[in-house]
Structures are given as structure tokens and as C-alpha cells.
């Protein structure tokens, strides 16, 4: 009844978020070097060879140090900054693929995350087209990982955009597969090349029969439909061995390695392949 309790920590939190937003805006506009890609290997479990990597963004904040996406992706999405951030991530990824040309790394496939918000952007397809011309790379070396597929009303639009992106030559992966509601319709209607089984299923395959059944089913289905199937979040040798026995194509997770800065990633590839 008329009493307002001023919660200091809440106010401070808003301040923090606003400062972080300003800092991000500044970085994207004036100092894109603060945005750095880390690389997590994707490995063929039958021979332990690295066939590619997922690019995962980090923000080298001048005061706060290295920030993981949990600290700023939501903020970027709610403020629209995900568009310039996403473009920087794409450019850095292409630059990397370009630099790897003619080296021992040239066959690596680089996966890049795209947020749902980027998909709603009319400029995405033209951007992806012009980047191929600008960097003169084979778009087949880039795999775009897409997660939440926006709202149901967007499905038609998304399918059209995906077809056009696919026709440029990019590969397309469905990320966090199994957590959405119409996953099977995606498989039928979306021109995808790869399925990534969500970590929440992988986590439980050592003890839980339902997860085992689901994972086996996804792998079997992917093979029949001729998609590449990747297990994410693999942490133990037992998980790796199980997934290998089910016929998974690729494994990603702390069992092999965490996301690494470029130099460490390259050293790891040299040592491993
Ligand atoms: P994601 O696409 O599902 O990426 C996998 C996340 O799981 C990464 O976290 C990775 O470091 C972590 N991970 C990998 N292996 C393991 C494991 O064995 N165990 C566990 N517990 N975790 C593992 P990260 O790098 O913090 O990224 C979090 C999320 O942020 C990503 O989830 C992705 O949705 C988003 N993200 C990252 N980079 C980008 C980007 O460039 N653009 C956009 N739009 N989103 C990004
Ligand atoms: Ca991903
Ligand atoms: Ca995931
Ligand atoms: Ca994800």
C-alpha cells in the first residue's frame, strides 16, 4: 500500500547492463579486435582426426577480461547489436578460412552460429552472398549453425531463406537438435546438411535408457536421410565409445577439447592429425 522498496542490487544491475551495452556498442563500432573467435574441434571418433571446428565468440573486454557469450549474447539480441556482432563473427570466420587456404588447415570446415534474430534480417542473404565475393572463399567450408527457429509464422520465410543460402553453397546445421517442438518437420522441410544432437541427451547416455534410445534413433534417422550427425557436449570416454558404436559421424566436447584460442587450436590440429 504505497510503499516502494528500492532494491539497490536491481538498480545496479540495470546500470551494469547499460554500461555493458555501451561498451559493446563501442567495441563493435570502433574496436572490433575485442571480439575474438575461439575454436572447438569437431572430431571423427573412428580415427580421432579433427575435421573442423565450431567458432565460438568471446569478448575481450578491456576491463572485465574474457567474457563468454552467456554474458552478452542476450544483451546483443535484445538491443539489435547481434546484427553487427554477427557480421563481425562471420567476417572473422571467413578471414580465417581464407588464411587457412594453401596450408595444412585448408580442409577444415568452420561452423558459425547464427541467432534467430539474424535470420529475420532481410540483409542476411545479401550479406552472405557479398561476403563470398569479398573474401573469395569456398562457402562449402562454412557451416551455419541455426538454433531456435523463430515463430511458427516464420517457418515459410525461414525455409525460403535457407534454400537461398544453401544455393550459395553454405552448409547448414540444426543446432541443439531434439529440444525444439517440430524437429521432425525441420528435417523434412529444411535444406540442411547436419544435425547436432543437444548436449542434454548426450549427458545422460551412460545411465539413462530413454536418452540412449533417443540418441540412437536420431543417429539412425540422420544416416538414412544422409545428414551428417554430430554429438555435442561429449565429456567422457564412455560417452565417446557409446556414440561411436551407434555410428555418430562427429564428436565435439570437453572430452577432446574445450574451445581454444586460434594458436592453441592450430597446435592441437598439428599434433593430432
Ligand atoms: P552452442 O552453440 O550450443 O555451443 C556449445 C556450447 O557448449 C559452447 O559454450 C561450448 O563451449 C560448450 N561446450 C562444448 N563442449 C562442452 C562439453 O563437453 N560440456 C559442456 N558442459 N559444455 C560444452 P559457449 O562458447 O559459452 O557458447 C554458448 C552459446 O552461445 C552457444 O551455444 C551459442 O548458442 C552462443 N554463441 C556462441 N558464439 C556465438 C556466435 O558467434 N553467435 C551467436 N549468435 N551465438 C553464439
Ligand atoms: Ca552451436
Ligand atoms: Ca547446445
Ligand atoms: Ca545453441
Amino acid at each position: 500500500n504505497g510503499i516502494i522498496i528500492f532494491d539497490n542490487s536491481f538498480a545496479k544491475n540495470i546500470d551494469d547492463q547499460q554500461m555493458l551495452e555501451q561498451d559493446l556498442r563501442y567495441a563493435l563500432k570502433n574496436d572490433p579486435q575485442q571480439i575474438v573467435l575461439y575454436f572447438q574441434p569437431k572430431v571423427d571418433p573412428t580415427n580421432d582426426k579433427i575435421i573442423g571446428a565450431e567458432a565460438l565468440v568471446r569478448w575481450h573486454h578491456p576491463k572485465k577480461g574474457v567474457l563468454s557469450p552467456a554474458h552478452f549474447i542476450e544483451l546483443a539480441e535484445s538491443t539489435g547489436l547481434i546484427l553487427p556482432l554477427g557480421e563481425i563473427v562471420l567476417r572473422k570466420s571467413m578471414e580465417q578460412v581464407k588464411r587457412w587456404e594453401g596450408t595444412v588447415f585448408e580442409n577444415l570446415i568452420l561452423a558459425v552460429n547464427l541467432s534467430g534474430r539474424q535470420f529475420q534480417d532481410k540483409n542476411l542473404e545479401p550479406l552472405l552472398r557479398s561476403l563470398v565475393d569479398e573474401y573469395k572463399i569456398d562457402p562449402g567450408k562454412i557451416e551455419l549453425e541455426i538454433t531456435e527457429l523463430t515463430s511458427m509464422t516464420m517457418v515459410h520465410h525461414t525455409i525460403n531463406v535457407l534454400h537461398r543460402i544453401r544455393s550459395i553453397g553454405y552448409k547448414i546445421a540444426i543446432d541443439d537438435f531434439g529440444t525444439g517442438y517440430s524437429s521432425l518437420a525441420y528435417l523434412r522441410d529444411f535444406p540442411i546438411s547436419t544435425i547436432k544432437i543437444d548436449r542434454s541427451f548426450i549427458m545422460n547416455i551412460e545411465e539413462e535408457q530413454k536418452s540412449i534410445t533417443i540418441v540412437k534413433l536420431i543417429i539412425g534417422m540422420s544416416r538414412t536421410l544422409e545428414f551428417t550427425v554430430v554429438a555435442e557436449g561429449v565429456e567422457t570416454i564412455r560417452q565417446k565409445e557409446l556414440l561411436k558404436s551407434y555410428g555418430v559421424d562427429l564428436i565435439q566436447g570437453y572430452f577432446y577439447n574445450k574451445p581454444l584460442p586460434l594458436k592453441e587450436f592450430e597446435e592441437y590440429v598439428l599434433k593430432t592429425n
Side-chain angles (χ1 to χ4, degrees):
N1 44 16
I3 300 171
I4 294 166
I5 297 170
F6 187 73
D7 182 342
N8 215 347
S9 69
F10 180 64
K12 185 168 181 302
N13 224 311
I14 290 181
D15 272 5
D16 283 353
Q17 287 298 100
Q18 275 174 356
M19 288 208 347
L20 208 61
E21 181 186 337
Q22 274 178 22
D23 292 349
L24 185 58
R25 210 173 277 284
Y26 178 87
L28 296 176
K29 195 150 184 265
N30 305 304
D31 194 10
Q33 306 288 48
Q34 290 181 27
I35 307 301
V36 177
L37 299 184
Y38 278 43
F39 301 84
Q40 185 174 38
K42 291 191 185 183
V43 183
D44 175 348
T46 63
N47 56 16
D48 287 340
K49 290 219 186 302
I50 299 160
I51 67 92
E54 177 176 1
L56 291 152
V57 69
R58 300 289 181 265
W59 177 12
H60 286 206
H61 190 282
K63 295 214 183 71
K64 295 174 192 286
V66 181
L67 299 180
S68 69
H71 290 95
F72 61 91
I73 286 285
E74 241 185 72
L75 175 77
E77 282 181 345
S78 66
T79 54
L81 290 175
I82 193 73
L83 297 182
L85 175 61
E87 179 169 342
I88 288 176
V89 167
L90 278 168
R91 287 182 174 279
K92 286 182 191 275
S93 301
M94 305 223 170
E95 242 166 63
Q96 195 50 62
V97 166
K98 187 79 199 166
R99 276 198 224 105
W100 280 338
E101 268 182 14
T103 75
V104 292
F105 306 110
E106 79 174 340
N107 291 321
L108 296 175
I109 307 278
L110 190 58
V112 182
N113 290 283
L114 287 187
S115 87
R117 186 69 184 67
Q118 281 173 280
F119 250 91
Q120 293 163 14
D121 178 28
K122 287 206 171 39
N123 193 40
L124 178 68
E125 187 214 335
L127 175 68
L128 288 170
R129 239 174 240 291
S130 66
L131 288 176
V132 171
D133 291 341
E134 187 178 334
Y135 290 93
K136 302 203 167 35
I137 57 155
D138 168 10
K141 293 272 164 61
I142 303 269
E143 182 161 75
L144 303 169
E145 294 192 358
I146 54 173
T147 324
E148 312 134 51
L149 289 146
T150 56
S151 69
M152 284 310 288
T153 56
M154 295 292 293
V155 166
H156 259 305
H157 170 73
T158 308
I159 294 173
N160 288 333
V161 175
L162 284 177
H163 273 288
R164 289 200 297 269
I165 290 173
R166 192 67 206 265
S167 76
I168 304 172
Y170 290 100
K171 293 191 165 70
I172 294 166
I174 300 261
D175 210 351
D176 302 332
F177 185 80
T179 58
Y181 285 104
S182 35
S183 303
L184 294 177
Y186 296 162
L187 296 191
R188 188 193 53 202
D189 299 336
F190 288 23
I192 56 172
S193 37
T194 303
I195 289 175
K196 295 189 77 177
I197 307 172
D198 192 61
R199 188 171 79 86
S200 57
F201 296 104
I202 307 303
M203 249 162 62
N204 297 317
I205 57 169
E206 283 170 273
E207 52 278 325
E208 206 237 322
Q209 192 54 48
K210 271 190 192 164
S211 289
I212 296 176
T213 307
I214 292 168
V215 167
K216 278 185 177 168
L217 211 72
I218 298 175
I219 293 172
M221 189 173 62
S222 303
R223 296 186 73 95
T224 310
L225 296 171
E226 298 182 325
F227 300 136
T228 300
V229 58
V230 183
E232 68 168 22
V234 176
E235 295 184 351
T236 69
I237 185 153
R238 178 96 183 107
Q239 288 170 348
K240 177 210 147 179
E241 290 303 334
L242 284 171
L243 289 160
K244 188 168 114 181
S245 76
Y246 306 157
V248 82
D249 294 305
L250 297 173
I251 281 181
Q252 195 184 336
Y254 297 165
F255 170 69
Y256 284 108
N257 231 320
K258 59 186 194 299
L260 300 167
L262 177 66
K263 279 285 155 289
E264 282 173 51
F265 172 73
E266 289 182 344
E267 279 161 24
Y268 182 70
V269 175
L270 286 177
K271 188 175 82 189
T272 310
N273 282 10

